[in-house]
Amino acid sequence: MQSYVRKSDMDSGVYLRLWKYNVLIEYMPSVKGKPLAAGVIFELEEDKFLIAGMMSKIFFHAKPDENVKISVLTLQEGRILNGEWAAERTLNGDEQMMMALGDLPSCLYVELFQY
């Protein structure tokens, strides 16, 4: 599990090192009356993640010493209901190009693959 919190307007993002991937978190611009960026990434399995947070863009990258590319196999919006993932919407196409969490707390389930 890795978490992040935007501490000031000068923070633009954070780089997280997970077991198999690195993750770039970009904070969305500050807007008066809107919350600052914050979130958490849970590594459920080797290529499966649960992301919860807001005001953030998430970009997964392969480790620098690996000559592989990564892509999204599954991307879903949803919530945890009685301890289980409950998908509400499956994202595809252009929606998979950029994972983003808006100004209300939300959850994403992400499954990646390398090639």
Side-chain angles (χ1 to χ4, degrees):
M1 176 184 77
Q2 297 274 339
S3 61
Y4 60 92
V5 176
R6 185 175 191 172
K7 296 174 182 67
S8 75
D9 286 340
M10 300 304 291
D11 288 343
S12 61
V14 65
Y15 200 70
L16 303 175
R17 290 175 179 83
L18 304 178
W19 182 74
K20 190 174 174 183
Y21 299 94
N22 290 332
V23 182
L24 173 64
I25 307 293
E26 289 184 359
Y27 301 144
M28 292 185 181
S30 295
V31 177
K32 187 175 181 171
K34 300 286 183 181
L36 294 177
V40 62
I41 299 177
F42 296 94
E43 293 181 84
L44 304 175
E45 292 180 22
E46 188 172 88
D47 297 309
K48 297 177 181 179
F49 305 90
L50 182 63
I51 304 169
M54 58 188 165
M55 298 298 286
S56 315
K57 295 178 187 173
I58 300 105
F59 302 92
F60 284 88
H61 299 281
K63 295 287 184 175
D65 56 343
E66 295 181 3
N67 188 22
V68 297
K69 295 183 181 190
I70 65 166
S71 191
V72 176
L73 185 63
T74 304
L75 179 59
Q76 299 174 330
E77 291 178 340
R79 58 192 172 122
I80 303 297
L81 187 61
N82 297 323
E84 297 289 325
W85 174 250
E88 295 174 344
R89 188 166 82 120
T90 298
L91 307 174
N92 56 35
D94 290 344
E95 296 168 319
Q96 289 185 346
M97 299 298 284
M98 180 178 59
M99 291 177 230
L101 302 169
D103 60 355
L104 295 175
S106 58
C107 293
L108 296 174
Y109 170 80
V110 182
E111 195 170 338
L112 304 174
F113 71 96
Q114 295 185 344
Y115 59 98

